[in-house]
PDB file of all heavy atoms in Angstrom:
ATOM      1  N   HIS A   1     -16.774 -12.563  24.948  1.00 97.00           N
ATOM      2  CA  HIS A   1     -15.777 -11.496  24.813  1.00 97.00           C
ATOM      3  C   HIS A   1     -15.387 -11.357  23.345  1.00 97.00           C
ATOM      4  O   HIS A   1     -15.323 -12.346  22.605  1.00 97.00           O
ATOM      5  CB  HIS A   1     -14.545 -11.796  25.652  1.00 97.00           C
ATOM      6  CG  HIS A   1     -14.710 -11.435  27.092  1.00 97.00           C
ATOM      7  ND1 HIS A   1     -15.645 -12.041  27.900  1.00 97.00           N
ATOM      8  CD2 HIS A   1     -14.062 -10.526  27.875  1.00 97.00           C
ATOM      9  CE1 HIS A   1     -15.562 -11.524  29.115  1.00 97.00           C
ATOM     10  NE2 HIS A   1     -14.617 -10.606  29.121  1.00 97.00           N
ATOM     11  N   SER A   2     -15.139 -10.129  22.915  1.00 97.00           N
ATOM     12  CA  SER A   2     -14.842  -9.900  21.504  1.00 97.00           C
ATOM     13  C   SER A   2     -14.051  -8.614  21.350  1.00 97.00           C
ATOM     14  O   SER A   2     -13.550  -8.049  22.333  1.00 97.00           O
ATOM     15  CB  SER A   2     -16.151  -9.829  20.710  1.00 97.00           C
ATOM     16  OG  SER A   2     -15.894  -9.767  19.317  1.00 97.00           O
ATOM     17  N   MET A   3     -13.951  -8.147  20.134  1.00 97.00           N
ATOM     18  CA  MET A   3     -13.310  -6.872  19.813  1.00 97.00           C
ATOM     19  C   MET A   3     -14.141  -6.160  18.763  1.00 97.00           C
ATOM     20  O   MET A   3     -14.758  -6.808  17.903  1.00 97.00           O
ATOM     21  CB  MET A   3     -11.888  -7.067  19.263  1.00 97.00           C
ATOM     22  CG  MET A   3     -10.883  -7.553  20.261  1.00 97.00           C
ATOM     23  SD  MET A   3      -9.216  -7.593  19.550  1.00 97.00           S
ATOM     24  CE  MET A   3      -8.295  -8.188  20.965  1.00 97.00           C
ATOM     25  N   ASN A   4     -14.171  -4.850  18.830  1.00 98.00           N
ATOM     26  CA  ASN A   4     -14.688  -4.054  17.726  1.00 98.00           C
ATOM     27  C   ASN A   4     -13.515  -3.788  16.787  1.00 98.00           C
ATOM     28  O   ASN A   4     -12.439  -3.377  17.229  1.00 98.00           O
ATOM     29  CB  ASN A   4     -15.298  -2.752  18.219  1.00 98.00           C
ATOM     30  CG  ASN A   4     -16.645  -2.972  18.870  1.00 98.00           C
ATOM     31  OD1 ASN A   4     -17.302  -3.978  18.626  1.00 98.00           O
ATOM     32  ND2 ASN A   4     -17.069  -2.039  19.721  1.00 98.00           N
ATOM     33  N   TYR A   5     -13.722  -4.027  15.529  1.00 97.00           N
ATOM     34  CA  TYR A   5     -12.607  -3.975  14.587  1.00 97.00           C
ATOM     35  C   TYR A   5     -13.102  -3.601  13.200  1.00 97.00           C
ATOM     36  O   TYR A   5     -14.293  -3.664  12.884  1.00 97.00           O
ATOM     37  CB  TYR A   5     -11.897  -5.333  14.528  1.00 97.00           C
ATOM     38  CG  TYR A   5     -12.787  -6.445  14.010  1.00 97.00           C
ATOM     39  CD1 TYR A   5     -12.908  -6.712  12.646  1.00 97.00           C
ATOM     40  CD2 TYR A   5     -13.544  -7.209  14.889  1.00 97.00           C
ATOM     41  CE1 TYR A   5     -13.741  -7.704  12.168  1.00 97.00           C
ATOM     42  CE2 TYR A   5     -14.383  -8.216  14.425  1.00 97.00           C
ATOM     43  CZ  TYR A   5     -14.480  -8.452  13.063  1.00 97.00           C
ATOM     44  OH  TYR A   5     -15.316  -9.434  12.609  1.00 97.00           O
ATOM     45  N   ARG A   6     -12.147  -3.218  12.354  1.00 98.00           N
ATOM     46  CA  ARG A   6     -12.368  -3.028  10.922  1.00 98.00           C
ATOM     47  C   ARG A   6     -11.219  -3.719  10.212  1.00 98.00           C
ATOM     48  O   ARG A   6     -10.056  -3.478  10.546  1.00 98.00           O
ATOM     49  CB  ARG A   6     -12.377  -1.536  10.559  1.00 98.00           C
ATOM     50  CG  ARG A   6     -13.571  -0.755  11.113  1.00 98.00           C
ATOM     51  CD  ARG A   6     -13.328   0.744  11.062  1.00 98.00           C
ATOM     52  NE  ARG A   6     -12.273   1.126  11.988  1.00 98.00           N
ATOM     53  CZ  ARG A   6     -11.331   2.036  11.719  1.00 98.00           C
ATOM     54  NH1 ARG A   6     -11.299   2.632  10.528  1.00 98.00           N
ATOM     55  NH2 ARG A   6     -10.426   2.329  12.630  1.00 98.00           N
ATOM     56  N   SER A   7     -11.539  -4.575   9.257  1.00 97.00           N
ATOM     57  CA  SER A   7     -10.486  -5.321   8.579  1.00 97.00           C
ATOM     58  C   SER A   7     -10.777  -5.410   7.093  1.00 97.00           C
ATOM     59  O   SER A   7     -11.917  -5.279   6.655  1.00 97.00           O
ATOM     60  CB  SER A   7     -10.344  -6.731   9.170  1.00 97.00           C
ATOM     61  OG  SER A   7     -11.527  -7.482   8.941  1.00 97.00           O
ATOM     62  N   VAL A   8      -9.713  -5.641   6.333  1.00 98.00           N
ATOM     63  CA  VAL A   8      -9.813  -5.859   4.890  1.00 98.00           C
ATOM     64  C   VAL A   8      -8.956  -7.065   4.539  1.00 98.00           C
ATOM     65  O   VAL A   8      -7.836  -7.207   5.048  1.00 98.00           O
ATOM     66  CB  VAL A   8      -9.346  -4.624   4.091  1.00 98.00           C
ATOM     67  CG1 VAL A   8      -9.104  -4.983   2.623  1.00 98.00           C
ATOM     68  CG2 VAL A   8     -10.369  -3.502   4.187  1.00 98.00           C
ATOM     69  N   VAL A   9      -9.486  -7.913   3.674  1.00 98.00           N
ATOM     70  CA  VAL A   9      -8.735  -9.057   3.145  1.00 98.00           C
ATOM     71  C   VAL A   9      -8.723  -8.947   1.626  1.00 98.00           C
ATOM     72  O   VAL A   9      -9.776  -8.737   1.009  1.00 98.00           O
ATOM     73  CB  VAL A   9      -9.364 -10.389   3.578  1.00 98.00           C
ATOM     74  CG1 VAL A   9      -8.618 -11.557   2.936  1.00 98.00           C
ATOM     75  CG2 VAL A   9      -9.359 -10.525   5.098  1.00 98.00           C
ATOM     76  N   VAL A  10      -7.542  -9.065   1.049  1.00 98.00           N
ATOM     77  CA  VAL A  10      -7.385  -8.986  -0.409  1.00 98.00           C
ATOM     78  C   VAL A  10      -6.737 -10.276  -0.895  1.00 98.00           C
ATOM     79  O   VAL A  10      -5.668 -10.659  -0.409  1.00 98.00           O
ATOM     80  CB  VAL A  10      -6.503  -7.788  -0.824  1.00 98.00           C
ATOM     81  CG1 VAL A  10      -6.441  -7.686  -2.351  1.00 98.00           C
ATOM     82  CG2 VAL A  10      -7.014  -6.493  -0.211  1.00 98.00           C
ATOM     83  N   HIS A  11      -7.369 -10.941  -1.848  1.00 97.00           N
ATOM     84  CA  HIS A  11      -6.788 -12.106  -2.506  1.00 97.00           C
ATOM     85  C   HIS A  11      -6.371 -11.707  -3.918  1.00 97.00           C
ATOM     86  O   HIS A  11      -7.037 -10.889  -4.565  1.00 97.00           O
ATOM     87  CB  HIS A  11      -7.808 -13.239  -2.618  1.00 97.00           C
ATOM     88  CG  HIS A  11      -8.275 -13.776  -1.303  1.00 97.00           C
ATOM     89  ND1 HIS A  11      -7.582 -14.740  -0.607  1.00 97.00           N
ATOM     90  CD2 HIS A  11      -9.368 -13.475  -0.549  1.00 97.00           C
ATOM     91  CE1 HIS A  11      -8.227 -15.022   0.508  1.00 97.00           C
ATOM     92  NE2 HIS A  11      -9.317 -14.268   0.564  1.00 97.00           N
ATOM     93  N   GLY A  12      -5.283 -12.279  -4.391  1.00 96.00           N
ATOM     94  CA  GLY A  12      -4.894 -11.974  -5.755  1.00 96.00           C
ATOM     95  C   GLY A  12      -3.501 -12.452  -6.091  1.00 96.00           C
ATOM     96  O   GLY A  12      -2.881 -13.215  -5.350  1.00 96.00           O
ATOM     97  N   THR A  13      -3.006 -11.966  -7.220  1.00 94.00           N
ATOM     98  CA  THR A  13      -1.684 -12.322  -7.710  1.00 94.00           C
ATOM     99  C   THR A  13      -0.800 -11.086  -7.727  1.00 94.00           C
ATOM    100  O   THR A  13      -1.149 -10.083  -8.339  1.00 94.00           O
ATOM    101  CB  THR A  13      -1.772 -12.910  -9.131  1.00 94.00           C
ATOM    102  OG1 THR A  13      -2.603 -14.070  -9.114  1.00 94.00           O
ATOM    103  CG2 THR A  13      -0.392 -13.290  -9.646  1.00 94.00           C
ATOM    104  N   ALA A  14       0.305 -11.160  -7.019  1.00 94.00           N
ATOM    105  CA  ALA A  14       1.256 -10.051  -6.969  1.00 94.00           C
ATOM    106  C   ALA A  14       2.293 -10.205  -8.069  1.00 94.00           C
ATOM    107  O   ALA A  14       2.770 -11.314  -8.334  1.00 94.00           O
ATOM    108  CB  ALA A  14       1.948 -10.008  -5.612  1.00 94.00           C
ATOM    109  N   ARG A  15       2.621  -9.075  -8.707  1.00 91.00           N
ATOM    110  CA  ARG A  15       3.619  -9.089  -9.787  1.00 91.00           C
ATOM    111  C   ARG A  15       4.584  -7.931  -9.610  1.00 91.00           C
ATOM    112  O   ARG A  15       4.230  -6.883  -9.070  1.00 91.00           O
ATOM    113  CB  ARG A  15       2.925  -9.014 -11.151  1.00 91.00           C
ATOM    114  CG  ARG A  15       2.116 -10.262 -11.498  1.00 91.00           C
ATOM    115  CD  ARG A  15       1.540 -10.187 -12.903  1.00 91.00           C
ATOM    116  NE  ARG A  15       0.895 -11.429 -13.295  1.00 91.00           N
ATOM    117  CZ  ARG A  15      -0.374 -11.729 -13.041  1.00 91.00           C
ATOM    118  NH1 ARG A  15      -1.125 -10.851 -12.396  1.00 91.00           N
ATOM    119  NH2 ARG A  15      -0.887 -12.871 -13.428  1.00 91.00           N
ATOM    120  N   THR A  16       5.775  -8.126 -10.104  1.00 91.00           N
ATOM    121  CA  THR A  16       6.802  -7.100 -10.011  1.00 91.00           C
ATOM    122  C   THR A  16       6.466  -5.904 -10.893  1.00 91.00           C
ATOM    123  O   THR A  16       6.010  -6.059 -12.027  1.00 91.00           O
ATOM    124  CB  THR A  16       8.166  -7.674 -10.438  1.00 91.00           C
ATOM    125  OG1 THR A  16       8.522  -8.722  -9.545  1.00 91.00           O
ATOM    126  CG2 THR A  16       9.244  -6.602 -10.420  1.00 91.00           C
ATOM    127  N   VAL A  17       6.707  -4.715 -10.354  1.00 92.00           N
ATOM    128  CA  VAL A  17       6.533  -3.475 -11.117  1.00 92.00           C
ATOM    129  C   VAL A  17       7.877  -3.101 -11.720  1.00 92.00           C
ATOM    130  O   VAL A  17       8.866  -2.943 -11.000  1.00 92.00           O
ATOM    131  CB  VAL A  17       6.027  -2.340 -10.208  1.00 92.00           C
ATOM    132  CG1 VAL A  17       5.940  -1.030 -10.984  1.00 92.00           C
ATOM    133  CG2 VAL A  17       4.675  -2.692  -9.604  1.00 92.00           C
ATOM    134  N   THR A  18       7.925  -2.972 -13.034  1.00 90.00           N
ATOM    135  CA  THR A  18       9.171  -2.619 -13.711  1.00 90.00           C
ATOM    136  C   THR A  18       9.132  -1.248 -14.355  1.00 90.00           C
ATOM    137  O   THR A  18      10.182  -0.669 -14.626  1.00 90.00           O
ATOM    138  CB  THR A  18       9.508  -3.668 -14.791  1.00 90.00           C
ATOM    139  OG1 THR A  18       8.431  -3.735 -15.733  1.00 90.00           O
ATOM    140  CG2 THR A  18       9.717  -5.043 -14.164  1.00 90.00           C
ATOM    141  N   ASP A  19       7.945  -0.709 -14.616  1.00 93.00           N
ATOM    142  CA  ASP A  19       7.830   0.602 -15.245  1.00 93.00           C
ATOM    143  C   ASP A  19       8.378   1.665 -14.304  1.00 93.00           C
ATOM    144  O   ASP A  19       7.931   1.785 -13.153  1.00 93.00           O
ATOM    145  CB  ASP A  19       6.368   0.901 -15.568  1.00 93.00           C
ATOM    146  CG  ASP A  19       6.194   2.270 -16.186  1.00 93.00           C
ATOM    147  OD1 ASP A  19       6.456   2.396 -17.389  1.00 93.00           O
ATOM    148  OD2 ASP A  19       5.809   3.200 -15.447  1.00 93.00           O
ATOM    149  N   PRO A  20       9.364   2.483 -14.730  1.00 92.00           N
ATOM    150  CA  PRO A  20       9.989   3.463 -13.840  1.00 92.00           C
ATOM    151  C   PRO A  20       9.002   4.457 -13.237  1.00 92.00           C
ATOM    152  O   PRO A  20       9.097   4.789 -12.042  1.00 92.00           O
ATOM    153  CB  PRO A  20      11.011   4.169 -14.748  1.00 92.00           C
ATOM    154  CG  PRO A  20      11.315   3.175 -15.821  1.00 92.00           C
ATOM    155  CD  PRO A  20      10.021   2.454 -16.060  1.00 92.00           C
ATOM    156  N   GLN A  21       8.063   4.941 -14.032  1.00 93.00           N
ATOM    157  CA  GLN A  21       7.105   5.910 -13.511  1.00 93.00           C
ATOM    158  C   GLN A  21       6.209   5.284 -12.446  1.00 93.00           C
ATOM    159  O   GLN A  21       5.956   5.884 -11.394  1.00 93.00           O
ATOM    160  CB  GLN A  21       6.241   6.472 -14.642  1.00 93.00           C
ATOM    161  CG  GLN A  21       5.235   7.515 -14.154  1.00 93.00           C
ATOM    162  CD  GLN A  21       4.349   8.021 -15.270  1.00 93.00           C
ATOM    163  OE1 GLN A  21       4.492   7.637 -16.426  1.00 93.00           O
ATOM    164  NE2 GLN A  21       3.406   8.892 -14.925  1.00 93.00           N
ATOM    165  N   GLU A  22       5.744   4.066 -12.695  1.00 95.00           N
ATOM    166  CA  GLU A  22       4.901   3.398 -11.716  1.00 95.00           C
ATOM    167  C   GLU A  22       5.672   3.095 -10.439  1.00 95.00           C
ATOM    168  O   GLU A  22       5.130   3.198  -9.325  1.00 95.00           O
ATOM    169  CB  GLU A  22       4.318   2.109 -12.291  1.00 95.00           C
ATOM    170  CG  GLU A  22       3.320   1.451 -11.347  1.00 95.00           C
ATOM    171  CD  GLU A  22       2.680   0.197 -11.922  1.00 95.00           C
ATOM    172  OE1 GLU A  22       3.047  -0.199 -13.045  1.00 95.00           O
ATOM    173  OE2 GLU A  22       1.820  -0.376 -11.232  1.00 95.00           O
ATOM    174  N   ARG A  23       6.936   2.752 -10.569  1.00 94.00           N
ATOM    175  CA  ARG A  23       7.759   2.498  -9.377  1.00 94.00           C
ATOM    176  C   ARG A  23       7.878   3.749  -8.528  1.00 94.00           C
ATOM    177  O   ARG A  23       7.782   3.703  -7.297  1.00 94.00           O
ATOM    178  CB  ARG A  23       9.150   2.003  -9.792  1.00 94.00           C
ATOM    179  CG  ARG A  23       9.203   0.526 -10.136  1.00 94.00           C
ATOM    180  CD  ARG A  23      10.523   0.145 -10.791  1.00 94.00           C
ATOM    181  NE  ARG A  23      11.682   0.509 -10.001  1.00 94.00           N
ATOM    182  CZ  ARG A  23      12.185  -0.228  -9.010  1.00 94.00           C
ATOM    183  NH1 ARG A  23      11.595  -1.362  -8.678  1.00 94.00           N
ATOM    184  NH2 ARG A  23      13.254   0.158  -8.357  1.00 94.00           N
ATOM    185  N   ARG A  24       8.079   4.908  -9.177  1.00 93.00           N
ATOM    186  CA  ARG A  24       8.180   6.154  -8.416  1.00 93.00           C
ATOM    187  C   ARG A  24       6.867   6.477  -7.707  1.00 93.00           C
ATOM    188  O   ARG A  24       6.858   6.884  -6.549  1.00 93.00           O
ATOM    189  CB  ARG A  24       8.579   7.303  -9.348  1.00 93.00           C
ATOM    190  CG  ARG A  24      10.030   7.254  -9.812  1.00 93.00           C
ATOM    191  CD  ARG A  24      10.428   8.563 -10.474  1.00 93.00           C
ATOM    192  NE  ARG A  24       9.694   8.771 -11.730  1.00 93.00           N
ATOM    193  CZ  ARG A  24      10.113   8.353 -12.908  1.00 93.00           C
ATOM    194  NH1 ARG A  24      11.260   7.683 -13.010  1.00 93.00           N
ATOM    195  NH2 ARG A  24       9.415   8.580 -14.002  1.00 93.00           N
ATOM    196  N   ILE A  25       5.753   6.302  -8.428  1.00 95.00           N
ATOM    197  CA  ILE A  25       4.441   6.540  -7.823  1.00 95.00           C
ATOM    198  C   ILE A  25       4.239   5.609  -6.625  1.00 95.00           C
ATOM    199  O   ILE A  25       3.763   6.022  -5.553  1.00 95.00           O
ATOM    200  CB  ILE A  25       3.334   6.327  -8.867  1.00 95.00           C
ATOM    201  CG1 ILE A  25       3.378   7.422  -9.926  1.00 95.00           C
ATOM    202  CG2 ILE A  25       1.954   6.304  -8.200  1.00 95.00           C
ATOM    203  CD1 ILE A  25       2.457   7.183 -11.108  1.00 95.00           C
ATOM    204  N   ALA A  26       4.617   4.350  -6.793  1.00 96.00           N
ATOM    205  CA  ALA A  26       4.424   3.361  -5.739  1.00 96.00           C
ATOM    206  C   ALA A  26       5.254   3.683  -4.500  1.00 96.00           C
ATOM    207  O   ALA A  26       4.755   3.624  -3.366  1.00 96.00           O
ATOM    208  CB  ALA A  26       4.784   1.973  -6.261  1.00 96.00           C
ATOM    209  N   LEU A  27       6.511   4.033  -4.689  1.00 96.00           N
ATOM    210  CA  LEU A  27       7.381   4.313  -3.546  1.00 96.00           C
ATOM    211  C   LEU A  27       6.935   5.572  -2.811  1.00 96.00           C
ATOM    212  O   LEU A  27       6.987   5.631  -1.574  1.00 96.00           O
ATOM    213  CB  LEU A  27       8.831   4.429  -4.018  1.00 96.00           C
ATOM    214  CG  LEU A  27       9.446   3.120  -4.526  1.00 96.00           C
ATOM    215  CD1 LEU A  27      10.817   3.363  -5.153  1.00 96.00           C
ATOM    216  CD2 LEU A  27       9.552   2.103  -3.392  1.00 96.00           C
ATOM    217  N   ASP A  28       6.492   6.581  -3.549  1.00 96.00           N
ATOM    218  CA  ASP A  28       5.945   7.780  -2.896  1.00 96.00           C
ATOM    219  C   ASP A  28       4.701   7.423  -2.090  1.00 96.00           C
ATOM    220  O   ASP A  28       4.502   7.924  -0.972  1.00 96.00           O
ATOM    221  CB  ASP A  28       5.595   8.850  -3.934  1.00 96.00           C
ATOM    222  CG  ASP A  28       6.810   9.574  -4.479  1.00 96.00           C
ATOM    223  OD1 ASP A  28       7.906   9.404  -3.911  1.00 96.00           O
ATOM    224  OD2 ASP A  28       6.662  10.309  -5.476  1.00 96.00           O
ATOM    225  N   ALA A  29       3.855   6.555  -2.647  1.00 97.00           N
ATOM    226  CA  ALA A  29       2.629   6.165  -1.942  1.00 97.00           C
ATOM    227  C   ALA A  29       2.939   5.424  -0.650  1.00 97.00           C
ATOM    228  O   ALA A  29       2.251   5.605   0.361  1.00 97.00           O
ATOM    229  CB  ALA A  29       1.762   5.297  -2.852  1.00 97.00           C
ATOM    230  N   ILE A  30       3.974   4.583  -0.658  1.00 96.00           N
ATOM    231  CA  ILE A  30       4.345   3.836   0.544  1.00 96.00           C
ATOM    232  C   ILE A  30       4.835   4.794   1.626  1.00 96.00           C
ATOM    233  O   ILE A  30       4.484   4.656   2.811  1.00 96.00           O
ATOM    234  CB  ILE A  30       5.409   2.780   0.210  1.00 96.00           C
ATOM    235  CG1 ILE A  30       4.800   1.691  -0.686  1.00 96.00           C
ATOM    236  CG2 ILE A  30       5.985   2.158   1.477  1.00 96.00           C
ATOM    237  CD1 ILE A  30       5.807   0.738  -1.285  1.00 96.00           C
ATOM    238  N   VAL A  31       5.634   5.796   1.249  1.00 96.00           N
ATOM    239  CA  VAL A  31       6.109   6.786   2.215  1.00 96.00           C
ATOM    240  C   VAL A  31       4.941   7.608   2.755  1.00 96.00           C
ATOM    241  O   VAL A  31       4.821   7.845   3.963  1.00 96.00           O
ATOM    242  CB  VAL A  31       7.168   7.705   1.574  1.00 96.00           C
ATOM    243  CG1 VAL A  31       7.536   8.849   2.512  1.00 96.00           C
ATOM    244  CG2 VAL A  31       8.414   6.903   1.216  1.00 96.00           C
ATOM    245  N   ASP A  32       4.049   8.025   1.868  1.00 96.00           N
ATOM    246  CA  ASP A  32       2.920   8.848   2.287  1.00 96.00           C
ATOM    247  C   ASP A  32       1.890   8.061   3.084  1.00 96.00           C
ATOM    248  O   ASP A  32       1.074   8.654   3.800  1.00 96.00           O
ATOM    249  CB  ASP A  32       2.245   9.491   1.071  1.00 96.00           C
ATOM    250  CG  ASP A  32       3.073  10.621   0.487  1.00 96.00           C
ATOM    251  OD1 ASP A  32       3.884  11.204   1.232  1.00 96.00           O
ATOM    252  OD2 ASP A  32       2.907  10.926  -0.715  1.00 96.00           O
ATOM    253  N   GLN A  33       1.898   6.736   2.965  1.00 95.00           N
ATOM    254  CA  GLN A  33       1.000   5.915   3.777  1.00 95.00           C
ATOM    255  C   GLN A  33       1.359   6.057   5.252  1.00 95.00           C
ATOM    256  O   GLN A  33       0.487   6.012   6.125  1.00 95.00           O
ATOM    257  CB  GLN A  33       1.108   4.448   3.353  1.00 95.00           C
ATOM    258  CG  GLN A  33       0.106   3.520   4.027  1.00 95.00           C
ATOM    259  CD  GLN A  33      -1.249   3.507   3.344  1.00 95.00           C
ATOM    260  OE1 GLN A  33      -1.383   3.992   2.233  1.00 95.00           O
ATOM    261  NE2 GLN A  33      -2.243   2.957   4.002  1.00 95.00           N
ATOM    262  N   VAL A  34       2.640   6.243   5.543  1.00 92.00           N
ATOM    263  CA  VAL A  34       3.097   6.403   6.920  1.00 92.00           C
ATOM    264  C   VAL A  34       2.714   7.786   7.434  1.00 92.00           C
ATOM    265  O   VAL A  34       2.100   7.920   8.496  1.00 92.00           O
ATOM    266  CB  VAL A  34       4.620   6.173   7.020  1.00 92.00           C
ATOM    267  CG1 VAL A  34       5.098   6.379   8.448  1.00 92.00           C
ATOM    268  CG2 VAL A  34       4.976   4.778   6.531  1.00 92.00           C
ATOM    269  N   VAL A  35       3.067   8.812   6.697  1.00 93.00           N
ATOM    270  CA  VAL A  35       2.686  10.192   7.034  1.00 93.00           C
ATOM    271  C   VAL A  35       2.372  10.905   5.730  1.00 93.00           C
ATOM    272  O   VAL A  35       3.258  11.069   4.879  1.00 93.00           O
ATOM    273  CB  VAL A  35       3.807  10.953   7.784  1.00 93.00           C
ATOM    274  CG1 VAL A  35       3.376  12.388   8.065  1.00 93.00           C
ATOM    275  CG2 VAL A  35       4.159  10.249   9.086  1.00 93.00           C
ATOM    276  N   ALA A  36       1.149  11.338   5.572  1.00 92.00           N
ATOM    277  CA  ALA A  36       0.737  12.013   4.347  1.00 92.00           C
ATOM    278  C   ALA A  36       1.586  13.257   4.110  1.00 92.00           C
ATOM    279  O   ALA A  36       1.788  14.074   5.019  1.00 92.00           O
ATOM    280  CB  ALA A  36      -0.736  12.394   4.426  1.00 92.00           C
ATOM    281  N   GLY A  37       2.115  13.399   2.904  1.00 93.00           N
ATOM    282  CA  GLY A  37       2.931  14.548   2.547  1.00 93.00           C
ATOM    283  C   GLY A  37       4.421  14.340   2.728  1.00 93.00           C
ATOM    284  O   GLY A  37       5.220  15.187   2.316  1.00 93.00           O
ATOM    285  N   ARG A  38       4.823  13.222   3.329  1.00 94.00           N
ATOM    286  CA  ARG A  38       6.235  13.015   3.642  1.00 94.00           C
ATOM    287  C   ARG A  38       7.091  12.804   2.397  1.00 94.00           C
ATOM    288  O   ARG A  38       8.268  13.178   2.385  1.00 94.00           O
ATOM    289  CB  ARG A  38       6.379  11.802   4.572  1.00 94.00           C
ATOM    290  CG  ARG A  38       7.808  11.547   5.038  1.00 94.00           C
ATOM    291  CD  ARG A  38       8.336  12.696   5.868  1.00 94.00           C
ATOM    292  NE  ARG A  38       9.717  12.478   6.265  1.00 94.00           N
ATOM    293  CZ  ARG A  38      10.449  13.354   6.930  1.00 94.00           C
ATOM    294  NH1 ARG A  38       9.922  14.513   7.279  1.00 94.00           N
ATOM    295  NH2 ARG A  38      11.683  13.084   7.253  1.00 94.00           N
ATOM    296  N   SER A  39       6.532  12.219   1.341  1.00 94.00           N
ATOM    297  CA  SER A  39       7.346  11.920   0.160  1.00 94.00           C
ATOM    298  C   SER A  39       7.906  13.187  -0.474  1.00 94.00           C
ATOM    299  O   SER A  39       8.985  13.162  -1.074  1.00 94.00           O
ATOM    300  CB  SER A  39       6.535  11.141  -0.873  1.00 94.00           C
ATOM    301  OG  SER A  39       5.477  11.922  -1.398  1.00 94.00           O
TER     302      SER A  39
END
């Protein structure tokens, strides 16, 4: 027994974003990830 699936694994180092423009881009991207165009 099994499952058909698609997965991604990312390894790395996470760092805080402090640049105001990048923060705005990032927050819009998170909102649009839920529903495209929502931001």
Side-chain angles (χ1 to χ4, degrees):
H1 279 63
S2 187
M3 290 186 180
N4 285 339
Y5 63 87
R6 292 164 292 140
S7 64
V8 165
V9 176
V10 184
H11 297 276
T13 301
R15 292 185 174 87
T16 298
V17 176
T18 59
D19 178 79
Q21 181 182 358
E22 186 177 3
R23 279 169 55 84
R24 288 192 294 270
I25 291 171
L27 292 172
D28 284 349
I30 292 169
V31 173
D32 286 336
Q33 186 84 13
V34 178
V35 178
R38 184 63 182 176
S39 66

